Amino acid sequence: MASISISTSLFSRPQAQACSKTQNPSPKKNPNPKFKPKKVNKFKSLSLPRAPPPASSSLGAQATTYTRLPPKEDSGFEFEVPSLNESDEIKLSDSDIAKLAVKNGSSEIEAEMLVTDDDDDDDEEKEEVNQSLGFEDETLDGNIMGFYNGDESLDFEEEEDEVYYYDSDGKLVNLSGNEVDDLELVEVKEKGVPAVMRCFDRAKIYVKAGDGGKGVVAFRREKYVPLGGPSGGDGGRGGNVYLEVDGTMNSLLPFRNSVHFRAGRGAHGQGRMMCGRKGEDVVVKVAPGTVVREAGNEEVLLELLYPGQRALLLPGGRGGRGNASFKSGNNKVPKIAENGEEGPEMWLELELKLVADVGIVGAPNAGKSTLLSVISAAQPEIANYPFTTLLPNLGVVSFDYDSTMVVADLPGLLEGAHRGFGLGHEFLRHTERCSALVHVVDGSGQQPELEFDAVRLELELFSPELAEKPYVVAYNKMDLPEAYENWPSFKENLQGRGIETFCMSAVKREGTHEVICAAYKLLPKPKESNEGFEGFQDPVDLNHVADMVNKQRSSSINEFEITHDSSCNTWHVIGAGLQRFVQMTNWRYIDSEKRFQHVLEACGVNRSLMKLGVKEGDTVIVGEMEMVWHDSAEDSGTPNMKKRSTESIKWPQWK
Ligand SMILES: Nc1nc2c(ncn2[C@@H]2O[C@H](COP(=O)(O)OP(=O)(O)OP(=O)(O)O)[C@@H](O)[C@H]2O)c(=O)[nH]1
Ligand SMILES: [Mg+2]
């Protein structure tokens, strides 16, 4: 039985049907393996019962406003030194900061607590801190928040969970005094950010282009038109998926509610040569500054920066051809039509990075938001407790004529922020797009130099490139006596290290102009920044993902690999082109099988299998099809005539 031929019976169903098909029990394969949906990591669900109140001022770019700087003051302004004996406000710098993390069953929360010696004020402070973090004082769905007040009388309302703090040696310990591995805790803390913060600038969405419509088999039947010929129309193309920058959006919050975006499928073809309508496109709107990645992949697919930019991400599937397209000189009554091509699908990770020129960084409570409120018309929340700012705020600073710059006020940074402590690390990546930084230091703190160094270290540890960005130091709260007294030594220290330092009092609007002018000077010159804009004026190819999909689609059916599983005598023929061909073959029509055999022979699959030693009865899997190999046409009982007629048909080119 050595005759090995391409006949309709070459592959046949085990149940003796000639050239038949069975559905491969293995899951459906995407024609574009690269875009095969990856296993979706579940969102880390947040167990915090309440999100912090979405103060309008803290909703990212909502605070974007235009204003003009106050008139330039005399550079040699004088600070009024308040009397030392009056202290009508509790200064945070007088307080110890105890780091505390509470991990509780499903709820994991981190809080940075203020501890003062004054008991009455302590309660007030606690309440404020709680509010600032979006928690209310009593409970968190039965979970607890605790305060470490230095004398170990932890004030917990319910069961004790895992509580950590730094002891006097700077070691992270739990309540029993045992040292805790920092890294373990970081994981806990990273989860402990309230939902509103975590969803604001990151989202995971599913996109799918529309499938193509099916082609149909139809014949013209008309009075006085005998043998009217094939008239089955083609299916319509599936809808495309676009990503578009919407200038009115300032966060990715809308994706909390809608995650799935599917373009419409093309309509099926109809008789009388009527082609199906194209599927509806879907346009996913994103905020300016959105970075797009394929889920689980670090590689950036797209950076969408400017309002109006539009990228074709996934092109819809091609419509299947109707039988009119298969008509040829030797096949005048083709009984074949194709399925529509499946539209590709992907899970995408979106990340929003602010497009700000200058980022204001610094420790909590240093006066960053106050500075932004003074130099721009933005109205961020300002209050005398750490973590007032939970989300970045944007403000536009306008100088004379056309010179403006966008300034971002970021949440405060703590020691360990780069590993997830506090909130600032969630937003540090926003500074990656800034050209310069303003580092605000609370001059009224006990050791401003140490605070400065700690924040610098965090920036360096988070990203060396970030640390290399040009920056100015703004020594704040000069109106307070402690700050005023410490200023000379601070200035001397930093100037000795070659760091440009300014002093200011943000609340009194003194010295802020100098700071902001110095920051402006650090920005790339207008000419250089135009260069940066070239990408926008002469757009980079935003459709490269779609091009990649199209390239994969057009991969030749001659390119395939064959693997053999000897344990179950199974051969796998793997190739993107073949896979797509199988998916588009509509097995309802008899001619489809003939064409399928023809293609397998023409592209060399049969020859390769025989060379590799395929045997009678072996299973061969191509795409979704599972078939059984027969060495000859006679074995399956298919008449040779049929074989001859199959060979003689000329099929239109596969596309
Ligand atoms: N005396 C004095 N107080 C100031 C000055 N600047 C800011 N403050 C006060 O410091 C406190 C904190 O100010 P914010 O602007 O909220 O500080 P922040 O750095 O944005 O704080 P977080 O957002 O929590 O990181 C507020 O009570 C301000 O009024 C200043 O120049 N002098
Ligand atoms: Mg703030």
Side-chain angles (χ1 to χ4, degrees):
M1 248 341 136
S3 86
I4 301 160
S5 61
I6 51 147
S7 78
T8 50
S9 60
L10 187 60
F11 294 126
S12 74
R13 207 183 269 190
Q15 296 89 341
Q17 278 267 328
C19 185
S20 54
K21 68 261 176 194
T22 56
Q23 203 71 24
N24 182 0
S26 63
K28 259 191 163 186
K29 285 195 176 118
N30 190 300
N32 302 306
K34 179 147 201 309
F35 293 96
K36 199 181 110 184
K38 293 229 165 91
K39 201 179 163 199
V40 181
N41 296 324
K42 275 191 182 164
F43 281 110
K44 287 177 194 165
S45 64
L46 280 158
S47 41
L48 283 176
R50 293 187 196 101
S56 60
S57 58
S58 57
L59 265 184
Q62 268 188 3
T64 306
T65 35
Y66 291 81
T67 186
R68 202 159 274 282
L69 267 184
K72 194 175 184 307
E73 303 138 20
D74 288 339
S75 51
F77 62 86
E78 295 225 333
F79 287 104
E80 199 182 302
V81 185
S83 69
L84 282 169
N85 47 14
E86 279 172 32
S87 72
D88 37 14
E89 68 172 315
I90 300 162
K91 287 190 290 298
L92 297 174
S93 51
D94 292 336
S95 318
D96 293 321
I97 292 182
K99 208 165 277 179
L100 183 75
V102 182
K103 179 183 169 193
N104 182 349
S106 62
S107 212
E108 293 139 342
I109 304 148
E110 187 219 340
E112 188 73 16
M113 301 303 165
L114 289 173
V115 183
T116 64
D117 296 327
D118 185 329
D119 279 342
D120 296 335
D121 287 340
D122 198 23
D123 284 340
E124 229 175 278
E125 294 278 351
K126 288 174 191 174
E127 203 179 307
E128 281 180 352
V129 172
N130 262 357
Q131 281 166 4
S132 77
L133 287 166
F135 314 136
E136 288 183 15
D137 53 0
E138 355 56 272
T139 61
L140 291 167
D141 265 7
N143 297 332
I144 52 159
M145 281 294 297
F147 296 90
Y148 179 64
N149 60 11
D151 60 8
E152 297 184 15
S153 59
L154 285 157
D155 173 22
F156 289 122
E157 294 183 14
E158 286 183 18
E159 70 212 90
E160 281 187 12
D161 285 291
E162 293 170 49
V163 178
Y164 308 94
Y165 61 94
Y166 283 105
D167 67 6
S168 49
D169 301 335
K171 285 182 190 153
L172 193 64
V173 291
N174 61 17
L175 274 183
S176 338
N178 300 327
E179 199 175 342
V180 180
D181 184 359
D182 261 18
L183 291 174
E184 271 175 31
L185 190 57
V186 170
E187 269 182 37
V188 170
K189 286 168 180 248
E190 275 177 348
K191 289 179 197 161
V193 181
V196 69
M197 284 177 259
R198 301 181 70 206
C199 297
F200 149 84
D201 57 359
R202 282 183 182 208
K204 195 165 179 176
I205 60 167
Y206 168 84
V207 285
K208 183 180 185 316
D211 297 339
K214 287 180 181 173
V216 291
V217 171
F219 293 94
R220 190 174 171 200
R221 294 276 178 267
E222 219 172 292
K223 210 173 178 186
Y224 310 120
V225 187
L227 307 175
S231 65
D234 299 343
R237 180 169 267 285
N240 302 327
V241 176
Y242 293 93
L243 291 182
E244 190 180 273
V245 183
D246 181 349
T248 61
M249 281 176 72
N250 56 18
S251 78
L252 301 178
L253 273 176
F255 296 113
R256 288 175 74 187
N257 300 328
S258 50
V259 173
H260 297 91
F261 297 88
R262 293 184 179 90
R265 74 167 297 148
H268 301 318
Q270 291 180 37
R272 298 188 188 186
M273 312 280 273
M274 286 193 284
C275 294
R277 154 175 52 69
K278 185 181 177 295
E280 225 170 275
D281 294 337
V282 67
V283 181
V284 183
K285 303 261 173 112
V286 295
T290 302
V291 176
V292 184
R293 294 188 180 84
E294 190 182 358
N297 196 337
E298 280 300 297
E299 194 191 332
V300 173
L301 290 181
L302 289 169
E303 283 204 42
L304 298 166
L305 301 179
Y306 309 104
Q309 273 186 319
R310 184 187 254 223
L312 169 61
L313 186 77
L314 300 177
R318 167 168 83 74
R321 283 176 287 181
N323 69 336
S325 306
F326 287 89
K327 186 177 159 187
S328 68
N330 55 8
N331 189 11
K332 292 185 177 160
V333 280
K335 294 191 187 73
I336 182 171
E338 289 172 333
N339 285 329
E341 182 184 14
E342 281 176 359
E345 56 190 344
M346 294 171 99
W347 276 91
L348 297 177
E349 273 169 3
L350 308 180
E351 185 187 336
L352 180 61
K353 291 187 182 182
L354 298 182
V355 193
D357 301 306
V358 174
I360 307 179
V361 295
N365 222 35
K368 302 178 292 297
S369 305
T370 312
L371 175 62
L372 183 75
S373 71
V374 168
I375 60 172
S376 77
Q379 294 178 338
E381 202 178 335
I382 297 168
N384 195 8
Y385 52 78
F387 301 120
T388 315
T389 305
L390 299 176
L391 301 172
N393 298 297
L394 285 185
V396 177
V397 179
S398 170
F399 295 93
D400 295 339
Y401 309 111
D402 287 340
S403 37
T404 58
M405 66 179 181
V406 181
V407 180
D409 156 42
L410 299 167
L413 291 169
L414 287 173
E415 191 183 334
H418 71 284
R419 286 176 298 157
F421 286 81
L423 305 172
H425 77 293
E426 281 283 315
F427 306 103
L428 265 183
R429 62 178 169 277
H430 291 304
T431 53
E432 286 170 16
R433 286 226 177 106
C434 297
S435 306
L437 302 176
V438 171
H439 185 156
V440 179
V441 178
D442 182 352
S444 66
Q446 276 166 0
Q447 290 169 309
E449 287 94 353
L450 288 188
E451 179 196 303
F452 168 78
D453 288 336
V455 171
R456 283 301 303 168
L457 184 67
E458 285 315 314
L459 293 176
E460 273 162 33
L461 291 172
F462 179 79
S463 144
E465 291 100 64
L466 192 59
E468 274 169 24
K469 285 189 193 291
Y471 67 98
V472 289
V473 178
Y475 181 91
N476 192 25
K477 307 197 183 177
M478 274 294 275
D479 54 298
L480 296 176
E482 303 89 325
Y484 190 81
E485 277 167 15
N486 285 336
W487 166 237
S489 67
F490 183 84
K491 185 179 174 188
E492 199 179 321
N493 182 338
L494 265 69
Q495 278 183 349
R497 290 149 67 181
I499 301 168
E500 198 176 4
T501 314
F502 294 85
C503 61
M504 65 176 191
S505 168
V507 279
K508 295 203 161 182
R509 298 177 174 240
E510 287 170 355
T512 52
H513 188 83
E514 282 73 15
V515 171
I516 214 64
C517 286
Y520 184 73
K521 282 186 197 146
L522 296 177
L523 298 183
K525 301 278 170 302
K527 197 170 162 237
E528 289 169 39
S529 46
N530 276 345
E531 277 165 18
F533 255 65
E534 269 167 21
F536 182 48
Q537 283 160 9
D538 177 20
V540 281
D541 180 19
L542 289 175
N543 299 343
H544 67 96
V545 182
D547 294 343
M548 219 152 65
V549 174
N550 283 331
K551 200 171 158 202
Q552 284 189 355
R553 277 177 178 169
S554 56
S555 31
S556 160
I557 51 173
N558 296 326
E559 290 162 17
F560 56 85
E561 274 177 23
I562 298 180
T563 57
H564 182 218
D565 183 353
S566 52
S567 62
C568 51
N569 290 333
T570 304
W571 301 80
H572 290 268
V573 184
I574 302 155
L578 269 175
Q579 216 163 304
R580 179 164 167 265
F581 173 65
V582 172
Q583 184 262 307
M584 290 188 75
T585 301
N586 189 340
W587 304 100
R588 276 179 56 199
Y589 304 116
I590 350 162
D591 285 358
S592 297
E593 294 174 5
K594 296 176 194 167
R595 179 171 169 243
F596 184 66
Q597 295 297 346
H598 171 82
V599 168
L600 288 190
E601 179 65 27
C603 70
V605 171
N606 294 349
R607 251 171 295 132
S608 310
L609 281 169
M610 288 183 295
K611 229 190 240 175
L612 292 166
V614 65
K615 285 197 275 322
E616 174 77 23
D618 282 1
T619 306
V620 179
I621 295 175
V622 187
E624 296 165 33
M625 293 301 299
E626 185 175 312
M627 293 155 284
V628 174
W629 178 269
H630 288 292
D631 283 341
S632 73
E634 288 78 15
D635 278 358
S636 60
T638 312
N640 281 336
M641 253 192 44
K642 198 165 181 180
K643 171 185 164 190
R644 274 198 299 279
S645 74
T646 310
E647 280 173 340
S648 64
I649 293 176
K650 268 201 165 173
W651 297 104
Q653 206 190 348
W654 165 246
K655 56 178 185 176

